[in-house]
């Protein structure tokens, strides 16, 4: 793997040489902002069962169970601020060095950090949507309803079920976003993969697609992934530190 400083140097060199850089992020980029990731023990996800989209549509009990979990997650996300890793990606974009930012996250922290071209593959927790007519609300409005004790809010237009504007398990992926993401993956010559266990499909196919199309890959992830063998440089160190140093290093040589 090489020493840390060798890998940083190598990553900065790849970044400098690349013409089209795409970043692909997962829950791990937000842990340093205080939001638990999916697989680490003790997080929200550890304490609640996953309610699938079909279950959500089928029963009142499932919807209540779902919203209970979301209420806790909102609490965690409410005070979260972008960390060094989010800021570094926003800076790369401003330097003209990042074409696309594809995220599996639903926390909105990339946008808070100043990134403007964000492809949200799994939707956003910042809004709620009626599953029947598509009406959207800022999440705060629905949160206020939940706080009154109503854990199965209904649409005021069509009486449909209201759900956060995220993609649930066994719900189909947003077509437009997936297409854009594949386009970015196949066009880039360098892909930065940050904070994803790459266990959720089809999102995990994005780095595979970039590799197939000839791009080099840099992985910044605390734990192993099934696709580590595709990466030219691998960091197990924290995303904030690594991305921070990469971008600082790049600034000095361009
Ligand atoms: P995951 O499966 O939890 O993987 C996260 C990965 O990040 C793990 O392999 C960790 O080792 C690694 N990691 C954690 N912290 C750091 C760090 N500071 N630096 C480097 N690596 C770190 O998460 P995925 O994104 O792969 O799973 C996909 C799901 C989880 C997506 O659908 C997300 O929408 C969903 N999710 C999103 C959020 C969020 O928006 N912040 C939080 C939790 C889950
Ligand atoms: Zn409606």
């Amino acid at each position: 793997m090489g020493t840390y400083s060798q890998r940083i140097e190598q990553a900065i060199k790849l970044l400098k040489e690349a013409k089209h850089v795409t970043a692909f992020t997962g829950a791990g980029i937000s842990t340093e902002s205080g939001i638990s990731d999916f697989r680490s023990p003790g997080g929200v996800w550890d304490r609640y069962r996953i309610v699938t989209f079909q279950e959500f549509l089928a029963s009142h009990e499932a919807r209540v169970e779902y919203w209970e979990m979301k209420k806790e997650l909102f609490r965690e996300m409410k005070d979260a601020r972008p960390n060094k890793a989010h800021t570094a990606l926003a800076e790369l974009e401003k330097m003209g060095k990042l074409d696309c930012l594809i995220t599996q996250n639903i926390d909105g922290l990339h946008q808070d950090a100043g990134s403007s071209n964000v492809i949200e593959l799994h939707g956003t927790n910042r809004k709620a949507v009626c599953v029947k007519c598509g009406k959207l609300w800022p999440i705060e409005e629905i949160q206020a309803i939940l706080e009154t004790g109503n854990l199965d809010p209904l649409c005021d237009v069509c009486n449909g079920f209201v759900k956060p504007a995220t993609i649930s398990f066994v719900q189909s992926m947003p077509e437009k976003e997936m297409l854009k993401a594949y386009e970015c993956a196949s066009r880039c010559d360098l892909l930065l993969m940050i904070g994803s266990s790459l266990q959720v499909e089809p999102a995990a196919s994005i780095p595979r697609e970039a590799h197939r199309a000839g791009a080099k890959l840099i992985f910044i992830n605390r734990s192993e992934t099934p696709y580590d063998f595709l990466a030219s440089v691998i960091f197990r160190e924290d995303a904030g530190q690594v991305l921070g140093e990469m971008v600082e290093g790049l600034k000095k040589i361009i």
Side-chain angles (χ1 to χ4, degrees):
M1 232 167 46
T3 65
Y4 177 67
S5 53
Q6 282 167 339
R7 283 177 285 131
I8 283 284
E9 215 171 290
Q10 203 182 344
I12 294 170
K13 185 165 174 276
L14 287 175
L15 202 50
K16 181 178 180 237
E17 287 165 0
K19 302 245 170 330
H20 297 287
V21 184
T22 284
F24 175 78
T25 69
I29 200 171
S30 296
T31 56
E32 291 169 70
S33 297
I35 301 174
S36 355
D37 64 8
F38 200 50
R39 281 164 184 90
S40 305
V44 185
W45 313 83
D46 214 25
R47 278 172 280 133
Y48 288 88
R49 192 179 68 87
I50 285 168
V51 174
T52 65
F53 188 52
Q54 283 68 15
E55 289 174 302
F56 181 91
L57 295 181
S59 88
H60 170 75
E61 285 70 29
R63 288 190 291 280
V64 169
E65 195 182 341
Y66 179 86
W67 279 114
E68 286 278 9
M69 185 273 264
K70 280 288 174 175
K71 254 177 85 174
E72 204 171 317
L73 195 63
F74 291 153
R75 240 170 267 147
E76 214 175 72
M77 289 189 173
K78 198 171 70 74
D79 301 319
R81 298 285 167 270
N83 65 54
K84 269 199 289 187
H86 298 105
T87 314
L89 290 180
E91 261 188 87
L92 265 191
E93 184 190 281
K94 288 198 183 78
M95 291 161 74
K97 253 316 195 180
L98 187 68
D99 289 1
C100 306
L101 174 47
I102 307 164
T103 188
Q104 301 173 82
N105 294 346
I106 52 177
D107 56 31
L109 291 181
H110 284 304
Q111 290 88 335
D112 286 353
S115 288
S116 52
N117 254 327
V118 186
I119 303 173
E120 292 178 312
L121 288 185
H122 293 164
T124 177
N125 239 353
R126 298 272 172 99
K127 286 183 204 137
V129 65
C130 166
V131 296
K132 201 162 150 197
C133 74
K135 177 172 174 181
L136 288 166
W137 296 264
I139 199 66
E140 292 76 15
E141 284 184 32
I142 303 303
Q143 253 174 300
I145 298 173
L146 299 175
E147 294 303 332
T148 67
N150 176 1
L151 287 180
D152 188 2
L154 296 177
C155 173
D156 54 4
V157 177
C158 77
N159 232 30
F161 305 132
V162 177
K163 200 188 149 296
T166 54
I167 309 296
S168 289
F169 281 83
V170 208
Q171 188 174 6
S172 52
M173 296 290 285
E175 227 169 279
K176 209 177 73 198
E177 278 76 8
M178 272 313 277
L179 273 177
K180 270 206 305 204
Y182 273 112
E183 215 178 280
C184 290
S186 45
R187 200 180 51 216
C188 71
D189 51 7
L190 179 67
L191 180 128
L192 311 175
M193 191 296 281
I194 307 131
S196 175
S197 60
L198 299 182
Q199 289 185 24
V200 180
E201 294 287 349
S205 65
I206 303 290
R208 282 203 305 271
E209 169 58 17
H211 184 266
R212 190 204 56 76
K216 294 227 163 70
L217 313 184
I218 298 176
F219 279 19
I220 307 171
N221 204 62
R222 273 181 194 159
S223 53
E224 280 178 31
T225 82
Y227 301 105
D228 284 357
F229 68 98
L230 300 178
S232 302
V233 191
I234 297 179
F235 292 96
R236 298 275 176 246
E237 291 81 5
D238 285 346
Q241 177 195 334
V242 176
L243 274 176
E245 287 185 27
M246 277 172 62
V247 173
E248 283 313 308
L250 182 70
K251 277 194 212 154
K252 285 190 194 130
I253 53 169
I254 60 167

